[in-house]
Amino acid sequence: MSDLLKNEEIAKLGAVLVEVQDDLRQLRCSLQKITVGGGGRTLDIQALDNAIRKTESSIRKRAEDYLETVNKQLLVLPSIEELNKKTVKIPKWKPALESIPDVHQQREGLAGPLLGEKHKSAVAMHLLCNPAHPNNRAIMHTKCGLSLPDVHKRSTNATKQHKITCPVMSLQATELKGLHILAIPEENTGNVPDTGVLPMLIQHKAALLHPKKDSHSSKIGLIGSRSSRVKQLRWKTKPESTCSKDRECTPLWVTKTPPPSTTSKSVDHGSMNKGNNGLILKSPQNQLVQVPVNISKFPFTIINGRINPMAVDFCHFKQSFSLCWSSVVYALEALEKLLREFGVPLAKVSGERLVEFCHGWDNGWNKSPPVISLLSVLENWEEVFNLVLRPGQRYKGEGGIEAAAIHIQSCWRRYVARTAYLRYCRRKWAAGTIAISWLMHAQMRRVRKALQVRRFRQLENYRSRAQHLAANWKHIQSSKRTIIHIPSLGYSQNQRLNLKGFDILQNIQISRLCDVRDENVEVIYICPRHLGEDILHYYTSLLKCDGATDGFDTRTTESSSSIRRFIILTPEAVDYFPTHSMCLSTLLKYSPRTLKRIRNLIQGKQAYIVGGVAHVDDLAVADELGLPILGPEPAIAQLYSTKSGGRRIFTGAEVEVPPGQGDIYSLNQLHETLAELMTQNTDVQRWLFKMDSEHGGRGIAYCDVCHLSCYNWALQECHRYGPELWNTKWIQESVLLRYLDEIPEWLARNARPTKTSCYPNWACFLKTFLRQGGVVEAYPPSDSITCLTVDLLLEPGGEVTMLSCGDQLHSSCHLEALGSTVPQTSVHPETLQSIYMRVGQACRQRLIVGYVSLDLATFLNRNTMEQKVWAIDLDLTYSDQLAMTQMLLMMTGGTLNCRTGCLEVPVPIREKYCEHQIVAKVPFYICL
């Protein structure tokens, strides 16, 4: 009796807790609808709502702790014969069926450390599971503290003819934070058992319970798998089973659960088969009660996003899950809000899925659950999901206009922010680019300024050393001196890259070593490539020879001393820049070890540098070594080494030059100049086009006037007016206009470059010609033309000396020199001396010193049969002909008299020691 009263008090307490939770939730919902205004006062509803939420969560936690404590207590069913007298009303939260003991806890409690205790415990549990045993009641009272009511036995004959039918009971096992809650619906189907049948005996039997396990069922579409936390408990009995008179009939209470996992089968299920943690309910007089197999569901509908609280299906669902209703309410509110926002007309909710979703949502309800998760609780979720995914559906439901406005505003703000951000990024990039460009410009400006200062200092040092060299030139020439030969070709970078074998071209003048034929000269030759032992041995043997003695006595004191007076050095930068085609001066500039060795070799000696084609790095090398250069400044050399610069010097020297015009940089200028020259010089059969910066016949093209259709008519006009009247402009105008019309086509068809390997056609040649500038000159109008080269030394003291002269050997085109014969025999020595002296003085006036090479062309005039000499080219460098002349004089031991055009070579004499008399050497003079 006391236990029944205690249970009744517990039920009342649980009902009170549930009502308090409902009241708090309704209060919070009503607070959200309050609007306060006026007077400038505001009500902090959010703080009050937070306080209510905090209180509600605290009460919910206390209720859960209370339910956990209550559910762990064992409740004893009253005796059946007293049921008609004492009918106990099951409370709303129905804890009777949840009083089943926790399987895991009992299993842990029964485990003993000793083997004897384990055996006693197993025997006691065996008796506990057998209600028919006489000691069952005593063991139940001892182990569990339960006093079972007395059950009066009845004869089987009285109960054999009765069949019991009872209402179908569906047990819902829900899991809330590890707590199992069993809910029994109040609305039962079936007939109420008769009072005469109720006194049948009911005894306990262990119910087979599997371990807790989350079962997952596959859903269609985007729902996926979800956790099935609602366990269906059904009462089952074996059909068509009968009870014999001698044996009691025991109905089996079976709990239907999902199949256990592999781990649970191996661990838990084996222990359950031993009957350690189960309650067995047996009744020897009861027949089997059939339980339907179908699953009871609790569906309800939501129309237009709102639930009808008076609907039967919703009331049935609410009553069935009243204990966990506090968590279900939030899910229903979220689901209703979602359906209203998307304007869903009809939604069918599965109660089991909804409860399962509520228990599975662990993130709390402060954060809205995903739409897909909410829609998974619907039975028609596919239709609703398709409706939700329809574009613009959100703006047809509740608050659609505000949502559309918010969306439009957010898109516009995003666009504005994105545009501003992109503009900021562009401006930032532009600012960074400008800053980097400015920094690079400033750095380049500083570097350029520093280079200008350095080069200006080097130029000033060059000028001061040149003055010292000019003042002491005669003394230097008569005393011991060291000549540093740097055969550098300081062409432009484009020209150097287009030349094949550039290092070999710079080493062609290795015969400069023959300067050691002067006993007062030591030579340091800078070689642009590493020489093999065979080449070094060849030049060493070559310099041992003496043209004045024969081969039987070559090891004289004079020849052996010449070997010790030259040295060949190769800059180490040759290995660092093998493919950059740098000039030799630049390689030596970046070779500190070679420069240091040169300084050691010339220490305490008088020395100067003889270069090649002038380059700005010549000044850097000279400044590093502290030596003067026997040559012009690089800027002056570059100005007057061109074809146009040479014509200016020849014009200033009043030397006859071929008809032509220099400094041509445009096509119209070329056509007009050529037409005018052709009109004035009708006897010229070929016109030459020479580039300013090219050398060695590379930049020369020609065109013959015989291919011009109006040429014969122009000759007739010239003969008709005569030589005297033909020079007037108005007579030449008609021919000039005719030439201007035909020259473009004439050049395009008939102009030919001399070296097609460099310029394959006229178009390529013309493009480079107009970019670099050039000269148009007349080819000598004669069938017999001789070209000669004169090498001059413009001494710093002011004297002009001719060092070599020779007639050129030409190829078949007569425009490319292959070699020369020394001395020249084409021009009278006095005429030649007059020409080179005037050219030398003109060069001296333009501050040009050092070695100069002058090219002349001589032929006979057809009309007067007089010899004419034209100055056609000027090179401000040490020529190949001069280098070969030095070797010629070294090998022959002769002397070249350029004033008379004679090469004096002594005859070799064998020294015979006969009667102690020595035959004197008799010189042999060869005049060419």
Side-chain angles (χ1 to χ4, degrees):
M1 185 67 181
S2 61
D3 293 338
L4 294 176
L5 292 176
K6 185 177 179 180
N7 292 339
E8 184 177 359
E9 293 176 358
I10 291 173
K12 291 180 180 181
L13 180 57
V16 169
L17 290 175
V18 171
E19 291 178 0
V20 170
Q21 292 184 22
D22 293 339
D23 294 340
L24 288 176
R25 180 177 54 80
Q26 293 177 2
L27 178 60
R28 182 168 52 81
C29 294
S30 61
L31 285 175
Q32 295 178 356
K33 302 179 181 180
I34 297 176
T35 57
V36 180
R41 301 176 60 187
T42 59
L43 180 61
D44 194 358
I45 300 178
Q46 186 64 30
L48 183 59
D49 182 69
N50 293 336
I52 294 175
R53 286 180 181 272
K54 184 176 180 181
T55 305
E56 185 179 1
S57 61
S58 177
I59 292 176
R60 186 186 303 112
K61 186 176 183 303
R62 298 299 181 185
E64 290 175 356
D65 295 340
Y66 160 73
L67 291 176
E68 184 179 359
T69 304
V70 171
N71 290 336
K72 290 183 180 179
Q73 297 180 1
L74 295 177
L75 300 181
V76 182
L77 295 176
S79 59
I80 297 176
E81 61 184 10
E82 297 178 357
L83 186 61
N84 53 355
K85 298 179 181 180
K86 301 177 181 180
T87 303
V88 179
K89 185 178 180 181
I90 299 177
K92 195 172 186 178
W93 45 279
K94 299 177 181 63
L97 295 179
E98 294 188 2
S99 61
I100 299 176
D102 193 351
V103 177
H104 302 284
Q105 294 181 1
Q106 291 184 10
R107 180 169 45 194
E108 295 174 359
L110 293 176
L114 299 179
L115 184 61
E117 294 180 0
K118 289 183 178 181
H119 178 69
K120 292 180 181 180
S121 177
V123 172
M125 289 304 301
H126 179 71
L127 296 178
L128 183 63
C129 296
N130 188 7
H133 198 276
N135 296 331
N136 178 267
R137 292 171 56 84
I139 294 175
M140 180 66 73
H141 181 71
T142 303
K143 295 289 185 180
C144 302
L146 300 178
S147 298
L148 299 178
D150 295 333
V151 180
H152 299 281
K153 296 184 179 180
R154 294 187 181 182
S155 60
T156 57
N157 296 330
T159 60
K160 172 170 72 171
Q161 303 295 332
H162 297 279
K163 197 170 192 179
I164 302 175
T165 61
C166 67
V168 178
M169 293 179 292
S170 176
L171 304 181
Q172 286 288 339
T174 60
E175 182 181 351
L176 180 58
K177 297 182 181 179
L179 181 62
H180 296 277
I181 303 174
L182 300 179
I184 303 177
E186 293 181 354
E187 297 180 6
N188 298 327
T189 59
N191 298 326
V192 180
D194 191 12
T195 55
V197 185
L198 288 177
M200 67 179 183
L201 297 177
I202 298 177
Q203 293 186 357
H204 296 283
K205 184 179 180 181
L208 298 179
L209 300 177
H210 293 286
K212 179 179 66 175
K213 178 178 179 297
D214 293 340
S215 61
H216 300 274
S217 58
S218 176
K219 298 297 179 181
I220 300 175
L222 298 175
I223 302 299
S225 61
R226 60 188 180 90
S227 174
S228 175
R229 295 180 178 268
V230 180
K231 297 180 175 59
Q232 302 288 338
L233 300 180
R234 292 183 178 84
W235 302 90
K236 286 189 177 181
T237 57
K238 297 181 180 181
E240 299 179 359
S241 63
T242 57
C243 298
S244 61
K245 297 180 181 180
D246 301 333
R247 196 172 68 179
E248 297 177 351
C249 196
T250 59
L252 182 62
W253 295 64
V254 183
T255 303
K256 182 179 179 181
T257 58
S261 61
T262 306
T263 307
S264 63
K265 284 182 180 180
S266 60
V267 179
D268 295 337
H269 189 65
S271 62
M272 287 183 180
N273 291 337
K274 296 180 181 180
N276 293 337
N277 296 316
L279 291 179
I280 303 174
L281 302 179
K282 288 188 178 180
S283 177
Q285 298 178 356
N286 282 354
Q287 294 183 357
L288 296 178
V289 180
Q290 296 184 0
V291 180
V293 182
N294 61 324
I295 302 174
S296 176
K297 298 181 179 179
F298 305 94
F300 60 92
T301 59
I302 300 178
I303 301 174
N304 294 327
R306 300 188 182 278
I307 300 175
N308 185 8
M310 304 306 296
V312 178
D313 52 358
F314 180 74
C315 293
H316 180 63
F317 168 72
K318 184 176 180 180
Q319 292 175 1
S320 301
F321 299 96
S322 59
L323 292 181
C324 58
W325 187 252
S326 59
S327 60
V328 175
V329 169
Y330 296 111
L332 285 177
E333 292 177 355
L335 183 59
E336 284 181 322
K337 182 179 179 182
L338 176 64
L339 297 177
R340 286 196 305 270
E341 288 178 350
F342 286 91
V344 179
L346 179 63
K348 298 179 181 180
V349 184
S350 176
E352 293 86 346
R353 297 181 190 176
L354 181 60
V355 175
E356 177 188 2
F357 172 74
C358 295
H359 293 102
W361 181 251
D362 298 332
N363 294 332
W365 294 103
N366 294 329
K367 181 180 178 181
S368 300
V371 176
I372 298 178
S373 301
L374 274 178
L375 296 182
S376 64
V377 304
L378 302 179
E379 293 182 353
N380 60 338
W381 66 271
E382 293 182 352
E383 300 175 1
V384 176
F385 189 70
N386 293 333
L387 185 63
V388 169
L389 291 181
R390 185 180 300 172
Q393 184 64 30
R394 169 64 185 91
Y395 311 116
K396 296 180 180 180
E398 181 179 331
I401 298 177
E402 292 79 0
I406 292 173
H407 183 70
I408 293 172
Q409 292 176 1
S410 62
C411 291
W412 173 250
R413 293 192 188 100
R414 182 198 63 81
Y415 169 76
V416 172
R418 179 65 177 174
T419 305
Y421 174 73
L422 293 178
R423 188 185 303 110
Y424 166 76
C425 290
R426 286 194 298 269
R427 292 178 178 177
K428 183 179 179 181
W429 171 82
T433 304
I434 294 172
I436 293 175
S437 301
W438 171 251
L439 291 176
M440 293 297 296
H441 172 73
Q443 182 67 18
M444 291 294 294
R445 185 178 179 181
R446 286 193 295 269
V447 172
R448 192 180 294 111
K449 187 176 181 180
L451 288 176
Q452 290 177 354
V453 172
R454 178 181 298 179
R455 289 177 179 175
F456 182 76
R457 183 180 68 250
Q458 293 172 356
L459 182 61
E460 291 294 328
N461 295 336
Y462 160 81
R463 291 173 179 174
S464 63
R465 296 190 188 100
Q467 293 177 359
H468 179 269
L469 181 65
N472 300 278
W473 177 251
K474 290 184 178 181
H475 173 70
I476 293 173
Q477 286 295 101
S478 61
S479 61
K480 290 184 177 296
R481 59 193 182 275
T482 301
I483 302 176
I484 302 175
H485 283 284
I486 307 176
S488 174
L489 298 180
Y491 299 139
S492 63
Q493 183 179 3
N494 188 27
Q495 291 176 334
R496 296 197 307 267
L497 293 176
N498 291 330
L499 288 174
K500 295 181 180 179
F502 185 68
D503 54 343
I504 298 176
L505 293 177
Q506 292 187 114
N507 199 36
I508 285 178
Q509 298 181 6
I510 193 174
S511 55
R512 292 189 187 190
L513 293 171
C514 297
D515 283 347
V516 296
R517 66 189 180 90
D518 188 350
E519 296 179 357
N520 295 327
V521 174
E522 293 180 358
V523 174
I524 299 176
Y525 179 76
I526 309 300
C527 185
R529 58 181 303 172
H530 296 285
L531 299 179
E533 294 294 335
D534 53 345
I535 299 178
L536 292 176
H537 179 70
Y538 170 77
Y539 280 101
T540 303
S541 302
L542 188 67
L543 295 177
K544 285 180 181 179
C545 298
D546 189 356
T549 61
D550 67 356
F552 292 99
D553 191 11
T554 58
R555 296 182 180 274
T556 61
T557 304
E558 182 179 355
S559 61
S560 61
S561 64
S562 63
I563 299 174
R564 294 192 299 267
R565 283 187 285 109
F566 80 91
I567 186 172
I568 299 176
L569 299 178
T570 302
E572 64 269 17
V574 172
D575 300 327
Y576 304 151
F577 310 101
T579 60
H580 291 70
S581 298
M582 292 182 176
C583 66
L584 190 56
S585 299
T586 305
L587 293 175
L588 184 59
K589 175 185 176 182
Y590 297 116
S591 302
R593 287 184 294 178
T594 305
L595 292 174
K596 182 178 180 181
R597 187 175 180 185
I598 294 174
R599 281 195 295 268
N600 295 332
L601 291 174
I602 64 175
Q603 188 174 5
K605 300 178 182 180
Q606 293 181 351
Y608 59 89
I609 297 174
V610 177
V613 178
H615 192 268
V616 291
D617 287 337
D618 294 342
L619 301 181
V621 173
D623 191 64
E624 190 71 23
L625 298 175
L627 297 178
I629 300 176
L630 185 58
E633 296 180 9
I636 296 176
Q638 291 177 4
L639 177 62
Y640 292 104
S641 291
T642 61
K643 302 297 185 294
S644 301
R647 286 185 64 88
R648 287 193 292 269
I649 291 180
F650 296 150
T651 303
E654 297 180 355
V655 177
E656 190 174 2
V657 294
Q661 180 67 38
D663 298 323
I664 297 176
Y665 294 96
S666 64
L667 187 60
N668 293 333
Q669 184 184 3
L670 174 64
H671 293 165
E672 292 175 0
T673 302
L674 185 58
E676 185 177 354
L677 291 174
M678 291 174 64
T679 304
Q680 295 174 0
N681 303 275
T682 56
D683 57 337
V684 177
Q685 300 294 321
R686 175 178 290 183
W687 291 92
L688 303 179
F689 308 93
K690 299 179 181 180
M691 293 183 186
D692 276 340
S693 302
E694 289 292 349
H695 57 88
R698 287 168 50 91
I700 299 178
Y702 64 93
C703 191
D704 297 329
V705 296
C706 61
H707 302 289
L708 195 61
S709 61
C710 64
Y711 177 68
N712 294 328
W713 171 78
L715 288 177
Q716 294 176 2
E717 292 292 320
C718 179
H719 291 311
R720 185 165 65 90
Y721 288 101
E724 297 179 357
L725 295 177
W726 183 249
N727 293 329
T728 57
K729 296 294 184 181
W730 64 272
I731 295 176
Q732 298 177 355
E733 185 176 1
S734 60
V735 178
L736 179 63
L737 295 176
R738 185 76 176 271
Y739 278 155
L740 285 175
D741 294 338
E742 296 186 6
I743 279 177
E745 186 178 358
W746 171 62
L747 290 177
R749 290 185 177 182
N750 302 285
R752 297 288 183 271
T754 56
K755 283 192 175 182
T756 55
S757 59
C758 302
Y759 303 99
N761 50 49
W762 168 253
C764 297
F765 180 89
L766 182 62
K767 182 179 180 181
T768 309
F769 178 87
L770 297 178
R771 184 176 66 249
Q772 295 183 1
V775 172
V776 178
E777 286 183 352
Y779 189 79
S782 176
D783 296 334
S784 178
I785 304 169
T786 303
C787 295
L788 61 151
T789 301
V790 179
D791 292 307
L792 306 176
L793 174 60
L794 307 181
E795 298 180 1
E799 297 182 2
V800 179
T801 306
M802 182 166 51
L803 302 177
S804 174
C805 58
D807 295 330
Q808 296 180 2
L809 299 176
H810 291 273
S811 61
S812 58
C813 66
H814 302 286
L815 295 174
E816 181 180 1
L818 300 178
S820 61
T821 60
V822 178
Q824 64 86 24
T825 59
S826 302
V827 181
H828 194 275
E830 295 181 359
T831 305
L832 186 61
Q833 181 182 3
S834 174
I835 292 174
Y836 78 74
M837 286 299 295
R838 283 181 290 173
V839 172
Q841 293 299 326
C843 292
R844 288 291 303 161
Q845 294 176 3
R846 291 164 177 79
L847 304 178
I848 297 175
V849 295
Y851 295 93
V852 176
S853 178
L854 174 63
D855 290 341
L856 303 175
T858 178
F859 62 94
L860 293 176
N861 190 351
R862 294 176 181 178
N863 298 326
T864 62
M865 297 304 293
E866 295 180 357
Q867 185 182 20
K868 282 191 173 184
V869 181
W870 288 351
I872 58 176
D873 197 6
L874 181 67
D875 293 327
L876 306 182
T877 182
Y878 196 103
S879 68
D880 297 341
Q881 176 181 284
L882 179 58
M884 296 305 297
T885 301
Q886 295 294 334
M887 179 173 284
L888 172 65
L889 298 178
M890 179 74 181
M891 294 300 100
T892 60
T895 58
L896 179 62
N897 189 350
C898 296
R899 290 181 178 270
T900 61
C902 296
L903 177 62
E904 300 176 357
V905 178
V907 178
I909 300 176
R910 294 185 180 181
E911 295 180 359
K912 297 181 180 180
Y913 297 92
C914 179
E915 297 179 358
H916 302 282
Q917 293 180 359
I918 300 176
V919 180
K921 298 180 181 179
V922 180
F924 179 77
Y925 298 96
I926 302 176
C927 297
L928 300 176

